Amino acid sequence: MMSASAQVKIGYINTDELMSIMPEAAKISADMNEYQGTLQQQGLTLQKEFETKRDQYYKDSATFSNSKKEIVREELVKLVTRLQSYDQEMQEKAQKYAQDKVAPVQAKAIEAVKAVAKEKGYTYVIDNASNALLVMPPDDNLLPMVKAKLGIKDAPAPPPAAGGTK
């Protein structure tokens, strides 16, 4: 009895490395830096607002009625609470912004990997971004082929250091 068995071809790629060299990576990094700077500026503005109101309260509170003191103290407490929660809010906003920016690039990378795998006859492709594989044949690394598919050129080698060994 004969059985037909298809050859299984397994490849691997480091998608973190792939995404880091895609042209979109620099734009995402610049956008993230700008966005985080804006968030930090808003935090500083909030801090300054609190400090100004606090200082004004210390300066003028002797002339305030008890009810006005209470109202201003409540405003200060609200500002302190807002300041305390702003760091967490800033981190969450930055994380969501990054996810929104990275998702389309990640989808493009995965589609390119799928296309190369199909063209080259790979049955399975393992993402070794987590470095979970200890032994892998270098001939099955799809990164060079996916880079070519995406039109990504290797960076030129750095010039030799001056005064190096001869």
Side-chain angles (χ1 to χ4, degrees):
M1 178 174 170
M2 292 181 72
S3 66
S5 67
Q7 183 173 353
V8 174
K9 191 171 179 184
I10 300 172
Y12 65 89
I13 188 166
N14 185 320
T15 56
D16 287 349
E17 181 181 351
L18 172 62
M19 289 179 55
S20 74
I21 60 174
M22 290 174 70
E24 296 90 335
K27 172 94 171 94
I28 289 172
S29 181
D31 288 351
M32 273 304 300
N33 288 338
E34 180 183 335
Y35 187 74
Q36 287 175 326
T38 300
L39 290 174
Q40 289 171 347
Q41 188 59 47
Q42 288 175 343
L44 292 173
T45 300
L46 191 60
Q47 178 74 34
K48 184 147 181 70
E49 178 185 354
F50 166 73
E51 291 169 357
T52 300
K53 286 187 177 188
R54 180 201 59 203
D55 294 348
Q56 192 67 40
Y57 175 77
Y58 288 150
K59 181 180 170 208
D60 298 338
S61 64
T63 64
F64 290 169
S65 66
N66 285 341
S67 59
K68 175 137 180 150
K69 284 181 186 179
E70 186 62 31
I71 291 169
V72 174
R73 276 195 295 259
E74 286 176 14
E75 286 179 19
L76 289 172
V77 168
K78 285 179 185 175
L79 278 171
V80 167
T81 303
R82 175 85 172 99
L83 270 171
Q84 290 171 340
S85 67
Y86 187 75
D87 278 343
Q88 179 70 27
E89 181 184 327
M90 186 171 69
Q91 289 174 358
E92 290 170 4
K93 282 183 175 183
Q95 187 175 18
K96 182 177 181 341
Y97 186 82
Q99 288 170 347
D100 291 347
K101 290 287 185 179
V102 169
V105 178
Q106 189 174 32
K108 180 179 178 181
I110 297 302
E111 285 306 311
V113 169
K114 287 178 181 177
V116 167
K118 185 176 181 179
E119 290 168 10
K120 303 296 181 182
Y122 284 88
T123 310
Y124 297 98
V125 176
I126 299 167
D127 182 357
N128 69 337
S130 63
N131 294 319
L133 299 176
L134 300 177
V135 177
M136 52 196 134
D139 293 345
D140 287 343
N141 185 356
L142 300 185
L143 183 60
M145 293 176 273
V146 174
K147 283 172 37 180
K149 178 81 171 171
L150 292 171
I152 298 171
K153 305 266 189 267
D154 285 330
T165 59
K166 296 183 182 186

